[in-house]
């Protein structure tokens, strides 16, 4: 019994630490969105309900916190792929992930000024995220193809590029609504038709993925 209590006591700080870290990241994202890269770290700690020392133990520098906010958004997107694939039919899983990708683009645009202030610039962070994003949509598209839901010559990156394009040419705050409508258009246009697909699958050049910014 004493051993079990001892193990529980050792596990609790780790659980609390994870909870504190998640809360700091949540508050930091809001703060960087509102005030940019110069948002007060002391205020972030206070709003997260932790001491400044706790914040600095998790994130020793401002750059470390900004990076962690962005990486967390990417990780959420990547982690959603297996969850959606397990819980939904292939075509619905792909649609749900694409809608989440729209939210990711929105969050990324909001914290972009803060990311640009990170040592080494935002390009370094974006480069490390591309493989995770590409792997997620590749898996979802291939699953839908195997299930006969969508055409076999579909290039997964074309779906991402269409959504990214909407965000880049947006002229107003309603671009997210347009992007969400576009998701359904893309899904409908990607569905398998009765006629044979004469074209062969086309692989995207590795260089093209660099436009995921």
């Amino acid at each position: 019994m004493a051993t079990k209590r001892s193990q529980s006591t050792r596990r609790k700080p780790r659980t609390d630490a994870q909870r504190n870290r998640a809360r700091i990241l949540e508050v930091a994202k809001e703060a960087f969105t509102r005030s940019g890269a110069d948002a007060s770290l002391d205020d972030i700690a206070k709003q997260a309900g932790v001491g400044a020392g706790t914040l600095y133990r998790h994130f020793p520098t401002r750059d470390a916190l900004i990076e962690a906010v962005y990486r967390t958004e990417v990780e959420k997107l990547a982690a959603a792929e297996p969850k959606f694939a397990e819980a939904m039919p292939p075509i619905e899983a792909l649609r749900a992930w694409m809608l989440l990708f729209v939210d990711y683009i929105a969050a990324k645009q909001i914290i972009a000024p803060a990311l640009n202030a990170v040592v080494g610039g935002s390009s370094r962070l974006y480069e490390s995220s591309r493989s995770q994003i590409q792997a997620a949509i590749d898996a979802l598209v291939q699953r839908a193809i195997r299930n006969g839901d969508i055409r076999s010559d579909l290039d997964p990156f074309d779906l991402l590029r269409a959504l990214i394009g909407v965000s880049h040419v947006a002229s107003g705050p309603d671009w997210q609504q347009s992007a969400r409508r576009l998701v359904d258009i893309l899904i409908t246009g990607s569905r398998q038709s009765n006629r044979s697909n004469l074209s062969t699958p086309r692989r995207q050049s590795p260089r093209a993925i660099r436009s995921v910014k």
Side-chain angles (χ1 to χ4, degrees), residues 44-136:
I44 290 174
K46 183 177 180 180
Q47 293 173 28
V50 301
T54 298
L55 184 149
Y56 285 108
R57 277 197 299 275
H58 286 287
F59 310 104
T61 66
R62 181 181 299 272
D63 282 0
L65 179 56
I66 294 173
E67 285 193 40
V69 169
Y70 174 70
R71 293 184 188 281
T72 297
E73 294 301 304
V74 175
E75 288 167 3
K76 288 178 182 177
L77 191 60
E81 179 266 314
K83 292 179 182 178
F84 289 165
E86 181 178 354
M88 306 175 189
I91 195 71
E92 291 302 322
L94 176 60
R95 178 181 180 276
W97 190 91
M98 290 172 65
L99 290 172
L100 189 63
F101 183 73
V102 173
D103 293 339
Y104 158 78
I105 296 174
K108 183 175 173 182
Q109 286 184 334
I110 288 171
I111 64 174
L115 290 173
N116 290 333
V118 171
V119 173
S122 58
S123 296
R124 177 175 57 82
L125 295 177
Y126 296 160
E127 187 67 35
S128 66
S129 70
R130 290 184 188 113
S131 60
Q132 296 182 66
I133 293 172
Q134 187 71 56

Side-chain angles (χ1 to χ4, degrees), residues 15 23 141-142 166 170 174 183:
T15 301
R23 178 59 180 159
V141 166
Q142 290 304 316
V166 171
D174 62 342
V183 167

Side-chain angles (χ1 to χ4, degrees), residues 5-41:
R5 282 199 298 268
S6 177
Q7 291 175 345
S8 177
T9 301
R10 286 197 299 269
R11 282 196 297 267
K12 186 174 180 180
R14 290 200 296 270
T15 301
D16 289 344
Q18 291 172 355
R19 187 182 302 113
N20 287 340
R21 186 180 189 278
R23 178 59 180 159
I24 291 169
L25 289 171
E26 179 183 348
V27 172
K29 177 183 173 182
E30 296 173 358
F32 292 138
T33 297
R34 183 175 58 253
S35 305
D38 294 328
S40 169
L41 299 189

Side-chain angles (χ1 to χ4, degrees), residues 139-165:
L140 289 165
V141 166
Q142 290 304 316
R143 183 168 174 260
I145 288 174
R146 289 194 300 270
N147 200 54
D149 294 331
I150 58 178
R151 49 192 297 172
S152 61
D153 64 342
L154 177 67
D155 187 332
F157 185 74
D158 286 343
L159 301 177
L160 297 185
R161 182 162 47 193
L163 296 176
I164 294 167

